[in-house]
Amino acid sequence: AVKQDAASELAAADRSLENARRMMTLPLHNEAGRAAYYAMFHAAQALVDAPRPCVDRRQLHLLAKLVKSEFP
């Protein structure tokens, strides 16, 4: 399989996270959880696809806190 580039993966992460936010208002909590999972997956894939390390451990910790605050 051909790897998508990091920008495409980040765009997919943004779309998934927005879908999760919308689902939480309906409330479709299980579906929102799945969409949030896919957002995290695509964000992680963007890190893998990046040409060089683009975040450090502190930034990953902040990302995890953000996701927890959005989806308590």
Side-chain angles (χ1 to χ4, degrees):
V2 177
K3 282 188 179 182
Q4 292 181 333
D5 64 348
S8 296
E9 290 292 347
L10 287 176
D14 285 339
R15 286 190 303 273
S16 293
L17 190 55
E18 184 56 35
N19 288 339
R21 285 185 179 122
R22 278 192 239 125
M23 288 176 197
M24 287 296 288
T25 65
L26 292 179
L28 296 171
H29 298 181
N30 288 338
E31 291 80 0
R34 281 191 285 278
Y37 170 84
Y38 282 115
M40 290 184 289
F41 170 82
H42 286 296
Q45 189 64 49
L47 292 175
V48 170
D49 291 345
R52 57 179 168 65
C54 54
V55 298
D56 63 25
R57 291 176 64 87
R58 290 175 304 239
Q59 290 170 317
L60 290 175
H61 178 71
L62 291 174
L63 175 61
K65 285 177 68 173
L66 173 65
V67 170
K68 279 184 167 182
S69 71
E70 289 286 328
F71 301 96

